[in-house]
Amino acid sequence: MQTEVIRIERNNINAQIMQKAGSILKSGGLVAFPTETVYGLGADALNTEAAEKIYAAKGRPSDNPLIIHIADMGHLDKIVKYVPDEAKKLADAFWPGPLTMILNKSACVPYGTTGGLDTVAVRMPSDKIAQELIRRGGGYVAAPSANISGRPSPTTAQHVYEDMNGRIPLILDGGAVEIGLESTIVDLTADVPVILRPGYISLAMVQAILGRAEMDRGLIADDSGIRPKAPGMKYRHYAPKAELKIIEGPIDRVISYINQRADGSRRIGIICTEETREAYPHGDIKSIGSRKNELSIANHLFEVLREFDEDGVEAIYSESFEAPGLGQAIMNRLLKAAGHQRIDVSE
Ligand code: AMP
Ligand code: MG
C-alpha cells in the first residue's frame, strides 16, 4: 500500500484534504493524525473491521483496548451507558484536552474496539486537526498511538512514517505535537476514581476537581505482583533496542557513575538535560530538555529513544526525572522503556 503524507496547516486547515481523510475513515480505512499528546492511528470506532485494521497495522495484542476520540460533548451519550457526575466535572475542567475517561460502554460500541471489555475509554482532543478529522470521519474515531506496538509513541509525522509506511493510506502531518506523552487515563467505573496512566493532567489536578482520586497501585508498585489495571500498561513499551538503565541519586554521583561507563566511541547513549550536558565528555549524549521546563522533557523523550535506535548504541544510561507533576508521567514512560531497570547511586 502506498502511504501518502500530507502537510496540514493548523491555522488554515484544508477542507478538501480533510474531506478525503474523513471519507477514508467512513469507508473503514486508517488515517494517522496529530493530537496534542502524540500522533494517533485512527479508524471508525463503531466499525469492528476498521478497528481490527488498527491492531493489524500496529501488531497490537487484541486484548489491548482502543481509546475512542470524540469532538463534541453531545456525542458522548451514544457510546456510554450513562455519564456520571464525576465525568461531567472532569470534562468541564479538562476537555478538550489530554484526559481519557473510562466509562461503562453502550451496546453500539463493538467489543473489537474495547478489547472485549464492557467499559470504554473516551477522550476529546484539543488539537484542531484531530477535531476536524473526527467530525468528518463520523464522530467516533478509535485511535491508539500511531507506532508499531512496543516502539516509542510518535511525536512527529516522520516517526509515524517510519513505522507505518506501506501499512496505511494516509498520514496527516501537523508538525511536532504539543505535549509528547499520551493522555492521562482515569477510570470512573470503580468506587474511587483511579488514574490508570499518568499524563499531562496530574493526580493532583484530578483530585482538585473531584475531591478524591488515587493512582493505580499497579503503576506505583515496582516489583510486586500487582498488575496495572489498564491492559496496555502491562506490555513492554517505548523500548529502545539497546538496554536502558535509569541512574538515580544526587546528580553529581549520577554523572560520575555514567561517565565511568562511557568512552569516546559513541557506543554508550546518555540521556541528560541542558543543565548537565557539559558534564559528559564522552558518549552519544542527548539532552532531552531543561529541568526548569518539564514540558520540554516530555516533548523530546520518545524522539530521543527513537534516535538511539538509529544511532545503534549498545547501552543507554539516563538521568532520573522524579517530580510530582508531569515528572510522574515522564518517569512512568522512562521506567517502562527501561523495563524498570534503575540503579541507585545514593551511597
Ligand atoms: P494507546 O491508545 O496506545 O495510548 O493506549 C490506550 C491505553 O488505554 C492502553 O493502555 C489501554 O489499555 C487503555 N484502555 C483503553 N480502554 C480501556 C478500558 N476500557 N479500560 C482500561 N484501560 C483502557
Ligand atoms: Mg500506545
Side-chain angles (χ1 to χ4, degrees):
M1 183 185 296
Q2 196 73 9
T3 301
E4 206 179 350
V5 182
I6 305 181
R7 174 80 204 180
I8 306 285
E9 296 306 326
R10 201 165 270 99
N11 298 325
N12 183 18
I13 296 176
N14 183 310
Q16 223 178 335
I17 297 167
M18 296 310 291
Q19 176 62 33
K20 170 177 162 159
S23 58
I24 293 177
L25 290 181
K26 279 187 176 163
S27 62
L30 303 183
V31 176
F33 62 99
T35 80
E36 69 276 25
T37 58
V38 299
Y39 271 75
L41 181 59
D44 178 354
L46 306 185
N47 173 342
T48 305
E49 288 94 64
E52 270 167 16
K53 286 186 189 166
I54 290 182
Y55 289 93
K58 281 181 61 92
R60 182 175 174 109
S62 61
D63 70 343
N64 188 2
L66 308 173
I67 296 172
I68 300 187
H69 293 70
I70 59 173
D72 297 284
M73 198 58 195
H75 286 170
L76 181 60
D77 285 341
K78 178 169 168 176
I79 51 173
V80 302
K81 229 178 197 165
Y82 58 89
V83 182
D85 273 350
E86 289 178 323
K88 286 181 194 141
K89 286 184 190 158
L90 289 179
D92 274 348
F94 302 120
W95 276 5
L99 182 80
T100 296
M101 295 191 236
I102 308 292
L103 299 165
N104 289 302
K105 83 172 193 73
S106 72
C108 76
V109 180
Y111 284 113
T113 298
T114 68
L117 298 174
D118 286 314
T119 54
V120 62
V122 193
R123 178 165 105 83
M124 188 190 291
S126 63
D127 186 289
K128 297 291 172 217
I129 299 170
Q131 290 180 354
E132 176 85 13
L133 179 71
I134 294 163
R135 293 197 178 105
R136 290 189 185 260
Y140 302 92
V141 175
S145 49
N147 50 284
I148 298 280
S149 210
R151 294 208 73 205
S153 299
T155 54
T156 66
Q158 177 58 36
H159 297 162
V160 180
Y161 187 77
E162 284 164 19
D163 284 13
M164 291 297 151
N165 181 25
R167 295 171 185 244
I168 62 174
L170 179 61
I171 299 170
L172 298 177
D173 178 358
V177 301
E178 225 178 287
I179 297 175
L181 299 177
E182 304 85 347
S183 60
T184 304
I185 302 178
V186 56
D187 184 359
L188 295 177
T189 64
D191 293 340
V192 178
V194 183
I195 297 209
L196 305 186
R197 178 172 73 185
Y200 184 83
I201 308 288
S202 66
L203 175 63
M205 287 159 82
V206 173
Q207 284 168 337
I209 301 298
L210 299 183
R212 53 176 205 154
E214 51 191 49
M215 229 7 133
D216 178 14
R217 290 180 56 217
L219 291 180
I220 312 165
D222 226 4
D223 50 4
S224 76
I226 305 172
R227 285 213 147 185
K229 218 185 142 209
M233 297 301 279
K234 70 176 183 275
Y235 293 109
R236 189 174 143 90
H237 228 140
Y238 319 123
K241 290 176 190 143
E243 194 176 45
L244 167 64
K245 292 188 172 120
I246 301 164
I247 316 304
E248 296 175 321
I251 194 66
D252 47 332
R253 295 188 67 107
V254 169
I255 290 166
S256 102
Y257 180 94
I258 294 176
N259 276 335
Q260 280 164 30
R261 274 141 197 94
D263 57 22
S265 70
R266 289 177 57 89
R267 283 174 306 152
I268 301 296
I270 299 172
I271 301 180
C272 64
T273 53
E274 289 310 303
E275 288 80 5
T276 54
R277 178 176 208 134
E278 299 302 320
Y280 298 99
H282 303 298
D284 187 354
I285 306 151
K286 296 191 197 293
S287 165
I288 60 171
S290 166
R291 286 182 185 272
K292 297 189 196 95
N293 178 2
E294 283 189 313
L295 189 56
S296 69
I297 296 179
N299 278 178
H300 297 114
L301 177 61
F302 290 142
E303 180 169 43
V304 160
L305 293 176
R306 279 178 180 262
E307 282 171 11
F308 281 127
D309 281 353
E310 273 168 39
D311 297 355
V313 296
E314 288 170 10
I316 306 167
Y317 295 95
S318 177
E319 294 175 6
S320 176
F321 306 97
E322 206 69 72
L326 190 51
Q328 232 169 10
I330 294 168
M331 279 313 286
N332 168 266
R333 306 309 192 276
L334 197 56
L335 279 164
K336 279 183 78 72
H340 284 264
Q341 289 197 80
R342 56 214 300 191
I343 296 170
D344 188 348
V345 294
S346 298
E347 20 203 284

